[in-house]
Amino acid sequence: MPQWLRFLCAGCPALSVEKPIEPSTVMQFQTEKLRRTIQECQDVDTLRGIAMQLLQLHEKKSAIAEWATKKGVDAECRALVAEMGNNNKLANTFQIIRSDGQSDEIAGRHFSSYDEAHTVLERYYADLSCCDEDEREYYDIVEVNS
């Protein structure tokens, strides 16, 4: 569950995503009353009227559920974009380049953070012994704005 949704639901146990959606006690009583009215009704015109009202109510509830779903998705997308923007993951990446401009298995790789690129270079330099000093490549980490 996204953190922003956990925050919203923290003080509202009724909004918990893990709990199934259940009608309130008042709604259950109203449903039972309508059920009994339908069961006892012998007039086809009255039953037809009830059915049409229920159909209209169902249509409205479906439209509300669809609207709420779209708004929830929009809100989650805005939250993700804002979070990514705050972390500069949308605009900036980091690239390792060789000081001589050549390309190899390390040079040209892109990373989402400076630390990730630095870790790769640390591993590369740790694997070299001082005897390899003449064959050593030199790398830089540059920020690339996209």
Side-chain angles (χ1 to χ4, degrees), residues 98-133:
R98 273 178 51 164
S99 57
D100 63 1
Q102 298 290 324
S103 181
D104 60 22
E105 66 274 356
I106 295 176
R109 291 180 58 186
H110 289 265
F111 300 89
S112 61
S113 72
Y114 182 91
D115 291 339
E116 289 176 20
H118 191 266
T119 300
V120 169
L121 290 181
E122 277 183 329
R123 288 182 188 147
Y124 168 75
Y125 288 125
D127 290 342
L128 295 176
S129 67
C130 47
C131 300
D132 298 329
E133 194 72 34

PDB file of all heavy atoms in Angstrom, residues 98-133:
ATOM      1  N   ARG A  98      34.557   7.706 -19.415  1.00  0.00           N
ATOM      2  CA  ARG A  98      36.022   7.552 -19.328  1.00  0.00           C
ATOM      3  C   ARG A  98      36.678   8.886 -19.616  1.00  0.00           C
ATOM      4  O   ARG A  98      36.194   9.677 -20.432  1.00  0.00           O
ATOM      5  CB  ARG A  98      36.511   6.519 -20.345  1.00  0.00           C
ATOM      6  CG  ARG A  98      36.459   5.128 -19.808  1.00  0.00           C
ATOM      7  CD  ARG A  98      36.871   4.058 -20.779  1.00  0.00           C
ATOM      8  NE  ARG A  98      38.146   4.269 -21.441  1.00  0.00           N
ATOM      9  CZ  ARG A  98      38.804   3.317 -22.081  1.00  0.00           C
ATOM     10  NH1 ARG A  98      38.308   2.095 -22.130  1.00  0.00           N
ATOM     11  NH2 ARG A  98      39.944   3.568 -22.678  1.00  0.00           N
ATOM     12  N   SER A  99      37.787   9.150 -18.961  1.00  0.00           N
ATOM     13  CA  SER A  99      38.475  10.422 -19.163  1.00  0.00           C
ATOM     14  C   SER A  99      39.042  10.554 -20.576  1.00  0.00           C
ATOM     15  O   SER A  99      39.200  11.658 -21.078  1.00  0.00           O
ATOM     16  CB  SER A  99      39.595  10.592 -18.122  1.00  0.00           C
ATOM     17  OG  SER A  99      40.488   9.499 -18.195  1.00  0.00           O
ATOM     18  N   ASP A 100      39.304   9.419 -21.255  1.00  0.00           N
ATOM     19  CA  ASP A 100      39.816   9.492 -22.618  1.00  0.00           C
ATOM     20  C   ASP A 100      38.703   9.465 -23.668  1.00  0.00           C
ATOM     21  O   ASP A 100      38.958   9.452 -24.863  1.00  0.00           O
ATOM     22  CB  ASP A 100      40.816   8.357 -22.885  1.00  0.00           C
ATOM     23  CG  ASP A 100      40.193   6.976 -22.779  1.00  0.00           C
ATOM     24  OD1 ASP A 100      38.976   6.860 -22.524  1.00  0.00           O
ATOM     25  OD2 ASP A 100      40.945   5.984 -22.954  1.00  0.00           O
ATOM     26  N   GLY A 101      37.439   9.426 -23.231  1.00  0.00           N
ATOM     27  CA  GLY A 101      36.308   9.459 -24.161  1.00  0.00           C
ATOM     28  C   GLY A 101      35.962   8.118 -24.777  1.00  0.00           C
ATOM     29  O   GLY A 101      35.011   8.022 -25.550  1.00  0.00           O
ATOM     30  N   GLN A 102      36.711   7.081 -24.476  1.00  0.00           N
ATOM     31  CA  GLN A 102      36.451   5.748 -25.023  1.00  0.00           C
ATOM     32  C   GLN A 102      35.230   5.128 -24.339  1.00  0.00           C
ATOM     33  O   GLN A 102      34.778   5.593 -23.303  1.00  0.00           O
ATOM     34  CB  GLN A 102      37.679   4.841 -24.809  1.00  0.00           C
ATOM     35  CG  GLN A 102      38.938   5.312 -25.506  1.00  0.00           C
ATOM     36  CD  GLN A 102      38.831   5.170 -27.020  1.00  0.00           C
ATOM     37  OE1 GLN A 102      38.244   4.219 -27.510  1.00  0.00           O
ATOM     38  NE2 GLN A 102      39.393   6.122 -27.744  1.00  0.00           N
ATOM     39  N   SER A 103      34.744   4.056 -24.942  1.00  0.00           N
ATOM     40  CA  SER A 103      33.598   3.345 -24.386  1.00  0.00           C
ATOM     41  C   SER A 103      34.024   1.947 -23.964  1.00  0.00           C
ATOM     42  O   SER A 103      34.864   1.328 -24.613  1.00  0.00           O
ATOM     43  CB  SER A 103      32.498   3.262 -25.434  1.00  0.00           C
ATOM     44  OG  SER A 103      31.380   2.595 -24.916  1.00  0.00           O
ATOM     45  N   ASP A 104      33.476   1.458 -22.858  1.00  0.00           N
ATOM     46  CA  ASP A 104      33.727   0.091 -22.412  1.00  0.00           C
ATOM     47  C   ASP A 104      32.532  -0.387 -21.596  1.00  0.00           C
ATOM     48  O   ASP A 104      31.477   0.246 -21.617  1.00  0.00           O
ATOM     49  CB  ASP A 104      35.046  -0.009 -21.635  1.00  0.00           C
ATOM     50  CG  ASP A 104      35.076   0.856 -20.388  1.00  0.00           C
ATOM     51  OD1 ASP A 104      34.010   1.218 -19.878  1.00  0.00           O
ATOM     52  OD2 ASP A 104      36.192   1.177 -19.929  1.00  0.00           O
ATOM     53  N   GLU A 105      32.709  -1.490 -20.864  1.00  0.00           N
ATOM     54  CA  GLU A 105      31.572  -2.058 -20.127  1.00  0.00           C
ATOM     55  C   GLU A 105      31.116  -1.177 -18.968  1.00  0.00           C
ATOM     56  O   GLU A 105      29.993  -1.319 -18.485  1.00  0.00           O
ATOM     57  CB  GLU A 105      31.896  -3.474 -19.623  1.00  0.00           C
ATOM     58  CG  GLU A 105      32.982  -3.563 -18.572  1.00  0.00           C
ATOM     59  CD  GLU A 105      34.389  -3.632 -19.165  1.00  0.00           C
ATOM     60  OE1 GLU A 105      34.548  -3.693 -20.395  1.00  0.00           O
ATOM     61  OE2 GLU A 105      35.342  -3.603 -18.372  1.00  0.00           O
ATOM     62  N   ILE A 106      31.920  -0.265 -18.536  1.00  0.00           N
ATOM     63  CA  ILE A 106      31.536   0.641 -17.447  1.00  0.00           C
ATOM     64  C   ILE A 106      31.092   1.997 -18.006  1.00  0.00           C
ATOM     65  O   ILE A 106      30.061   2.531 -17.598  1.00  0.00           O
ATOM     66  CB  ILE A 106      32.701   0.835 -16.449  1.00  0.00           C
ATOM     67  CG1 ILE A 106      33.015  -0.501 -15.755  1.00  0.00           C
ATOM     68  CG2 ILE A 106      32.351   1.894 -15.408  1.00  0.00           C
ATOM     69  CD1 ILE A 106      34.197  -0.445 -14.828  1.00  0.00           C
ATOM     70  N   ALA A 107      31.866   2.536 -18.919  1.00  0.00           N
ATOM     71  CA  ALA A 107      31.560   3.863 -19.470  1.00  0.00           C
ATOM     72  C   ALA A 107      30.249   3.815 -20.250  1.00  0.00           C
ATOM     73  O   ALA A 107      29.986   2.879 -20.990  1.00  0.00           O
ATOM     74  CB  ALA A 107      32.690   4.324 -20.378  1.00  0.00           C
ATOM     75  N   GLY A 108      29.434   4.820 -20.046  1.00  0.00           N
ATOM     76  CA  GLY A 108      28.163   4.918 -20.758  1.00  0.00           C
ATOM     77  C   GLY A 108      26.975   4.418 -19.965  1.00  0.00           C
ATOM     78  O   GLY A 108      25.835   4.639 -20.358  1.00  0.00           O
ATOM     79  N   ARG A 109      27.215   3.735 -18.872  1.00  0.00           N
ATOM     80  CA  ARG A 109      26.101   3.244 -18.050  1.00  0.00           C
ATOM     81  C   ARG A 109      25.428   4.409 -17.335  1.00  0.00           C
ATOM     82  O   ARG A 109      26.069   5.358 -16.916  1.00  0.00           O
ATOM     83  CB  ARG A 109      26.596   2.219 -17.041  1.00  0.00           C
ATOM     84  CG  ARG A 109      27.031   0.918 -17.706  1.00  0.00           C
ATOM     85  CD  ARG A 109      27.516  -0.099 -16.723  1.00  0.00           C
ATOM     86  NE  ARG A 109      26.511  -0.433 -15.710  1.00  0.00           N
ATOM     87  CZ  ARG A 109      26.771  -1.220 -14.669  1.00  0.00           C
ATOM     88  NH1 ARG A 109      27.982  -1.732 -14.500  1.00  0.00           N
ATOM     89  NH2 ARG A 109      25.833  -1.489 -13.789  1.00  0.00           N
ATOM     90  N   HIS A 110      24.104   4.322 -17.221  1.00  0.00           N
ATOM     91  CA  HIS A 110      23.316   5.364 -16.553  1.00  0.00           C
ATOM     92  C   HIS A 110      22.815   4.844 -15.206  1.00  0.00           C
ATOM     93  O   HIS A 110      22.490   3.671 -15.062  1.00  0.00           O
ATOM     94  CB  HIS A 110      22.124   5.777 -17.416  1.00  0.00           C
ATOM     95  CG  HIS A 110      22.522   6.543 -18.629  1.00  0.00           C
ATOM     96  ND1 HIS A 110      22.534   7.907 -18.664  1.00  0.00           N
ATOM     97  CD2 HIS A 110      22.938   6.136 -19.851  1.00  0.00           C
ATOM     98  CE1 HIS A 110      22.934   8.321 -19.849  1.00  0.00           C
ATOM     99  NE2 HIS A 110      23.189   7.254 -20.598  1.00  0.00           N
ATOM    100  N   PHE A 111      22.738   5.765 -14.232  1.00  0.00           N
ATOM    101  CA  PHE A 111      22.310   5.424 -12.885  1.00  0.00           C
ATOM    102  C   PHE A 111      21.321   6.483 -12.406  1.00  0.00           C
ATOM    103  O   PHE A 111      21.390   7.634 -12.815  1.00  0.00           O
ATOM    104  CB  PHE A 111      23.509   5.370 -11.936  1.00  0.00           C
ATOM    105  CG  PHE A 111      24.536   4.352 -12.360  1.00  0.00           C
ATOM    106  CD1 PHE A 111      25.558   4.705 -13.241  1.00  0.00           C
ATOM    107  CD2 PHE A 111      24.468   3.055 -11.905  1.00  0.00           C
ATOM    108  CE1 PHE A 111      26.494   3.776 -13.647  1.00  0.00           C
ATOM    109  CE2 PHE A 111      25.403   2.111 -12.309  1.00  0.00           C
ATOM    110  CZ  PHE A 111      26.418   2.471 -13.178  1.00  0.00           C
ATOM    111  N   SER A 112      20.426   6.081 -11.508  1.00  0.00           N
ATOM    112  CA  SER A 112      19.442   7.036 -10.993  1.00  0.00           C
ATOM    113  C   SER A 112      20.001   7.903  -9.870  1.00  0.00           C
ATOM    114  O   SER A 112      19.395   8.898  -9.500  1.00  0.00           O
ATOM    115  CB  SER A 112      18.187   6.305 -10.519  1.00  0.00           C
ATOM    116  OG  SER A 112      18.499   5.413  -9.483  1.00  0.00           O
ATOM    117  N   SER A 113      21.162   7.529  -9.319  1.00  0.00           N
ATOM    118  CA  SER A 113      21.765   8.360  -8.280  1.00  0.00           C
ATOM    119  C   SER A 113      23.282   8.351  -8.425  1.00  0.00           C
ATOM    120  O   SER A 113      23.863   7.415  -8.993  1.00  0.00           O
ATOM    121  CB  SER A 113      21.382   7.861  -6.883  1.00  0.00           C
ATOM    122  OG  SER A 113      22.042   6.657  -6.591  1.00  0.00           O
ATOM    123  N   TYR A 114      23.898   9.367  -7.886  1.00  0.00           N
ATOM    124  CA  TYR A 114      25.353   9.462  -7.874  1.00  0.00           C
ATOM    125  C   TYR A 114      25.952   8.299  -7.097  1.00  0.00           C
ATOM    126  O   TYR A 114      26.957   7.707  -7.498  1.00  0.00           O
ATOM    127  CB  TYR A 114      25.780  10.806  -7.264  1.00  0.00           C
ATOM    128  CG  TYR A 114      27.278  11.003  -7.255  1.00  0.00           C
ATOM    129  CD1 TYR A 114      27.910  11.619  -8.326  1.00  0.00           C
ATOM    130  CD2 TYR A 114      28.054  10.569  -6.184  1.00  0.00           C
ATOM    131  CE1 TYR A 114      29.292  11.795  -8.333  1.00  0.00           C
ATOM    132  CE2 TYR A 114      29.429  10.737  -6.175  1.00  0.00           C
ATOM    133  CZ  TYR A 114      30.044  11.346  -7.252  1.00  0.00           C
ATOM    134  OH  TYR A 114      31.403  11.510  -7.262  1.00  0.00           O
ATOM    135  N   ASP A 115      25.319   7.952  -5.978  1.00  0.00           N
ATOM    136  CA  ASP A 115      25.829   6.883  -5.123  1.00  0.00           C
ATOM    137  C   ASP A 115      25.900   5.539  -5.848  1.00  0.00           C
ATOM    138  O   ASP A 115      26.840   4.775  -5.649  1.00  0.00           O
ATOM    139  CB  ASP A 115      24.974   6.748  -3.859  1.00  0.00           C
ATOM    140  CG  ASP A 115      25.136   7.942  -2.926  1.00  0.00           C
ATOM    141  OD1 ASP A 115      26.165   8.644  -3.038  1.00  0.00           O
ATOM    142  OD2 ASP A 115      24.240   8.179  -2.102  1.00  0.00           O
ATOM    143  N   GLU A 116      24.896   5.249  -6.684  1.00  0.00           N
ATOM    144  CA  GLU A 116      24.918   3.993  -7.437  1.00  0.00           C
ATOM    145  C   GLU A 116      26.121   3.954  -8.384  1.00  0.00           C
ATOM    146  O   GLU A 116      26.813   2.938  -8.470  1.00  0.00           O
ATOM    147  CB  GLU A 116      23.629   3.832  -8.243  1.00  0.00           C
ATOM    148  CG  GLU A 116      22.405   3.540  -7.404  1.00  0.00           C
ATOM    149  CD  GLU A 116      21.126   3.489  -8.248  1.00  0.00           C
ATOM    150  OE1 GLU A 116      21.215   3.304  -9.479  1.00  0.00           O
ATOM    151  OE2 GLU A 116      20.044   3.622  -7.666  1.00  0.00           O
ATOM    152  N   ALA A 117      26.352   5.043  -9.096  1.00  0.00           N
ATOM    153  CA  ALA A 117      27.488   5.103 -10.019  1.00  0.00           C
ATOM    154  C   ALA A 117      28.803   5.003  -9.247  1.00  0.00           C
ATOM    155  O   ALA A 117      29.735   4.309  -9.670  1.00  0.00           O
ATOM    156  CB  ALA A 117      27.437   6.396 -10.828  1.00  0.00           C
ATOM    157  N   HIS A 118      28.877   5.677  -8.122  1.00  0.00           N
ATOM    158  CA  HIS A 118      30.096   5.668  -7.311  1.00  0.00           C
ATOM    159  C   HIS A 118      30.409   4.258  -6.801  1.00  0.00           C
ATOM    160  O   HIS A 118      31.573   3.838  -6.764  1.00  0.00           O
ATOM    161  CB  HIS A 118      29.953   6.643  -6.137  1.00  0.00           C
ATOM    162  CG  HIS A 118      31.242   6.887  -5.427  1.00  0.00           C
ATOM    163  ND1 HIS A 118      31.604   6.167  -4.310  1.00  0.00           N
ATOM    164  CD2 HIS A 118      32.248   7.761  -5.676  1.00  0.00           C
ATOM    165  CE1 HIS A 118      32.779   6.585  -3.894  1.00  0.00           C
ATOM    166  NE2 HIS A 118      33.206   7.548  -4.706  1.00  0.00           N
ATOM    167  N   THR A 119      29.384   3.510  -6.437  1.00  0.00           N
ATOM    168  CA  THR A 119      29.572   2.138  -5.961  1.00  0.00           C
ATOM    169  C   THR A 119      30.190   1.261  -7.047  1.00  0.00           C
ATOM    170  O   THR A 119      31.089   0.454  -6.778  1.00  0.00           O
ATOM    171  CB  THR A 119      28.230   1.545  -5.494  1.00  0.00           C
ATOM    172  OG1 THR A 119      27.721   2.352  -4.430  1.00  0.00           O
ATOM    173  CG2 THR A 119      28.389   0.113  -5.015  1.00  0.00           C
ATOM    174  N   VAL A 120      29.737   1.436  -8.290  1.00  0.00           N
ATOM    175  CA  VAL A 120      30.301   0.672  -9.409  1.00  0.00           C
ATOM    176  C   VAL A 120      31.784   0.997  -9.578  1.00  0.00           C
ATOM    177  O   VAL A 120      32.624   0.094  -9.750  1.00  0.00           O
ATOM    178  CB  VAL A 120      29.516   0.941 -10.719  1.00  0.00           C
ATOM    179  CG1 VAL A 120      30.241   0.384 -11.924  1.00  0.00           C
ATOM    180  CG2 VAL A 120      28.113   0.364 -10.610  1.00  0.00           C
ATOM    181  N   LEU A 121      32.125   2.272  -9.517  1.00  0.00           N
ATOM    182  CA  LEU A 121      33.536   2.653  -9.659  1.00  0.00           C
ATOM    183  C   LEU A 121      34.384   2.174  -8.480  1.00  0.00           C
ATOM    184  O   LEU A 121      35.538   1.774  -8.667  1.00  0.00           O
ATOM    185  CB  LEU A 121      33.669   4.171  -9.818  1.00  0.00           C
ATOM    186  CG  LEU A 121      33.164   4.731 -11.149  1.00  0.00           C
ATOM    187  CD1 LEU A 121      33.378   6.234 -11.199  1.00  0.00           C
ATOM    188  CD2 LEU A 121      33.841   4.054 -12.323  1.00  0.00           C
ATOM    189  N   GLU A 122      33.838   2.209  -7.291  1.00  0.00           N
ATOM    190  CA  GLU A 122      34.567   1.695  -6.130  1.00  0.00           C
ATOM    191  C   GLU A 122      34.919   0.225  -6.330  1.00  0.00           C
ATOM    192  O   GLU A 122      36.036  -0.200  -6.033  1.00  0.00           O
ATOM    193  CB  GLU A 122      33.726   1.834  -4.852  1.00  0.00           C
ATOM    194  CG  GLU A 122      33.778   3.181  -4.213  1.00  0.00           C
ATOM    195  CD  GLU A 122      32.971   3.218  -2.918  1.00  0.00           C
ATOM    196  OE1 GLU A 122      31.957   2.489  -2.803  1.00  0.00           O
ATOM    197  OE2 GLU A 122      33.361   3.974  -2.030  1.00  0.00           O
ATOM    198  N   ARG A 123      33.967  -0.559  -6.833  1.00  0.00           N
ATOM    199  CA  ARG A 123      34.228  -1.974  -7.081  1.00  0.00           C
ATOM    200  C   ARG A 123      35.296  -2.148  -8.157  1.00  0.00           C
ATOM    201  O   ARG A 123      36.150  -3.029  -8.055  1.00  0.00           O
ATOM    202  CB  ARG A 123      32.940  -2.680  -7.494  1.00  0.00           C
ATOM    203  CG  ARG A 123      31.965  -2.840  -6.351  1.00  0.00           C
ATOM    204  CD  ARG A 123      30.725  -3.590  -6.772  1.00  0.00           C
ATOM    205  NE  ARG A 123      29.741  -3.562  -5.703  1.00  0.00           N
ATOM    206  CZ  ARG A 123      28.442  -3.532  -5.905  1.00  0.00           C
ATOM    207  NH1 ARG A 123      27.968  -3.534  -7.133  1.00  0.00           N
ATOM    208  NH2 ARG A 123      27.618  -3.511  -4.888  1.00  0.00           N
ATOM    209  N   TYR A 124      35.234  -1.324  -9.200  1.00  0.00           N
ATOM    210  CA  TYR A 124      36.219  -1.420 -10.280  1.00  0.00           C
ATOM    211  C   TYR A 124      37.621  -1.135  -9.746  1.00  0.00           C
ATOM    212  O   TYR A 124      38.551  -1.903  -9.964  1.00  0.00           O
ATOM    213  CB  TYR A 124      35.867  -0.445 -11.406  1.00  0.00           C
ATOM    214  CG  TYR A 124      36.985  -0.267 -12.411  1.00  0.00           C
ATOM    215  CD1 TYR A 124      37.270  -1.253 -13.346  1.00  0.00           C
ATOM    216  CD2 TYR A 124      37.762   0.888 -12.400  1.00  0.00           C
ATOM    217  CE1 TYR A 124      38.307  -1.092 -14.260  1.00  0.00           C
ATOM    218  CE2 TYR A 124      38.802   1.067 -13.310  1.00  0.00           C
ATOM    219  CZ  TYR A 124      39.068   0.063 -14.235  1.00  0.00           C
ATOM    220  OH  TYR A 124      40.092   0.227 -15.127  1.00  0.00           O
ATOM    221  N   TYR A 125      37.771  -0.036  -9.024  1.00  0.00           N
ATOM    222  CA  TYR A 125      39.091   0.340  -8.518  1.00  0.00           C
ATOM    223  C   TYR A 125      39.574  -0.618  -7.430  1.00  0.00           C
ATOM    224  O   TYR A 125      40.774  -0.846  -7.290  1.00  0.00           O
ATOM    225  CB  TYR A 125      39.090   1.779  -8.004  1.00  0.00           C
ATOM    226  CG  TYR A 125      39.010   2.802  -9.112  1.00  0.00           C
ATOM    227  CD1 TYR A 125      38.016   3.774  -9.130  1.00  0.00           C
ATOM    228  CD2 TYR A 125      39.930   2.799 -10.159  1.00  0.00           C
ATOM    229  CE1 TYR A 125      37.949   4.707 -10.145  1.00  0.00           C
ATOM    230  CE2 TYR A 125      39.859   3.737 -11.179  1.00  0.00           C
ATOM    231  CZ  TYR A 125      38.867   4.685 -11.171  1.00  0.00           C
ATOM    232  OH  TYR A 125      38.799   5.594 -12.182  1.00  0.00           O
ATOM    233  N   ALA A 126      38.686  -1.222  -6.669  1.00  0.00           N
ATOM    234  CA  ALA A 126      39.081  -2.169  -5.628  1.00  0.00           C
ATOM    235  C   ALA A 126      39.654  -3.442  -6.236  1.00  0.00           C
ATOM    236  O   ALA A 126      40.502  -4.101  -5.626  1.00  0.00           O
ATOM    237  CB  ALA A 126      37.883  -2.506  -4.742  1.00  0.00           C
ATOM    238  N   ASP A 127      39.186  -3.793  -7.434  1.00  0.00           N
ATOM    239  CA  ASP A 127      39.678  -5.010  -8.093  1.00  0.00           C
ATOM    240  C   ASP A 127      41.067  -4.833  -8.701  1.00  0.00           C
ATOM    241  O   ASP A 127      41.707  -5.816  -9.077  1.00  0.00           O
ATOM    242  CB  ASP A 127      38.698  -5.460  -9.192  1.00  0.00           C
ATOM    243  CG  ASP A 127      37.408  -5.997  -8.613  1.00  0.00           C
ATOM    244  OD1 ASP A 127      37.389  -6.342  -7.417  1.00  0.00           O
ATOM    245  OD2 ASP A 127      36.407  -6.082  -9.358  1.00  0.00           O
ATOM    246  N   LEU A 128      41.534  -3.599  -8.832  1.00  0.00           N
ATOM    247  CA  LEU A 128      42.853  -3.350  -9.434  1.00  0.00           C
ATOM    248  C   LEU A 128      43.934  -3.410  -8.373  1.00  0.00           C
ATOM    249  O   LEU A 128      43.776  -2.919  -7.259  1.00  0.00           O
ATOM    250  CB  LEU A 128      42.880  -1.973 -10.100  1.00  0.00           C
ATOM    251  CG  LEU A 128      41.960  -1.774 -11.293  1.00  0.00           C
ATOM    252  CD1 LEU A 128      42.050  -0.332 -11.765  1.00  0.00           C
ATOM    253  CD2 LEU A 128      42.323  -2.714 -12.426  1.00  0.00           C
ATOM    254  N   SER A 129      45.039  -3.985  -8.744  1.00  0.00           N
ATOM    255  CA  SER A 129      46.181  -3.969  -7.823  1.00  0.00           C
ATOM    256  C   SER A 129      47.088  -2.801  -8.216  1.00  0.00           C
ATOM    257  O   SER A 129      46.956  -2.215  -9.276  1.00  0.00           O
ATOM    258  CB  SER A 129      46.946  -5.296  -7.903  1.00  0.00           C
ATOM    259  OG  SER A 129      47.552  -5.431  -9.171  1.00  0.00           O
ATOM    260  N   CYS A 130      48.046  -2.494  -7.378  1.00  0.00           N
ATOM    261  CA  CYS A 130      48.954  -1.388  -7.698  1.00  0.00           C
ATOM    262  C   CYS A 130      49.830  -1.732  -8.903  1.00  0.00           C
ATOM    263  O   CYS A 130      50.377  -0.844  -9.551  1.00  0.00           O
ATOM    264  CB  CYS A 130      49.788  -0.978  -6.498  1.00  0.00           C
ATOM    265  SG  CYS A 130      50.537  -2.341  -5.619  1.00  0.00           S
ATOM    266  N   CYS A 131      49.972  -3.000  -9.244  1.00  0.00           N
ATOM    267  CA  CYS A 131      50.738  -3.394 -10.431  1.00  0.00           C
ATOM    268  C   CYS A 131      50.021  -3.011 -11.723  1.00  0.00           C
ATOM    269  O   CYS A 131      50.640  -2.895 -12.773  1.00  0.00           O
ATOM    270  CB  CYS A 131      50.974  -4.905 -10.430  1.00  0.00           C
ATOM    271  SG  CYS A 131      51.888  -5.471  -8.997  1.00  0.00           S
ATOM    272  N   ASP A 132      48.717  -2.844 -11.652  1.00  0.00           N
ATOM    273  CA  ASP A 132      47.926  -2.502 -12.832  1.00  0.00           C
ATOM    274  C   ASP A 132      47.855  -1.002 -13.063  1.00  0.00           C
ATOM    275  O   ASP A 132      47.067  -0.538 -13.878  1.00  0.00           O
ATOM    276  CB  ASP A 132      46.490  -3.037 -12.671  1.00  0.00           C
ATOM    277  CG  ASP A 132      46.442  -4.548 -12.553  1.00  0.00           C
ATOM    278  OD1 ASP A 132      47.316  -5.199 -13.153  1.00  0.00           O
ATOM    279  OD2 ASP A 132      45.533  -5.059 -11.878  1.00  0.00           O
ATOM    280  N   GLU A 133      48.635  -0.243 -12.364  1.00  0.00           N
ATOM    281  CA  GLU A 133      48.583   1.214 -12.419  1.00  0.00           C
ATOM    282  C   GLU A 133      48.708   1.746 -13.849  1.00  0.00           C
ATOM    283  O   GLU A 133      48.027   2.686 -14.233  1.00  0.00           O
ATOM    284  CB  GLU A 133      49.683   1.814 -11.528  1.00  0.00           C
ATOM    285  CG  GLU A 133      49.536   3.288 -11.247  1.00  0.00           C
ATOM    286  CD  GLU A 133      48.384   3.586 -10.301  1.00  0.00           C
ATOM    287  OE1 GLU A 133      48.103   2.791  -9.406  1.00  0.00           O
ATOM    288  OE2 GLU A 133      47.779   4.651 -10.469  1.00  0.00           O
TER     289      GLU A 133
END
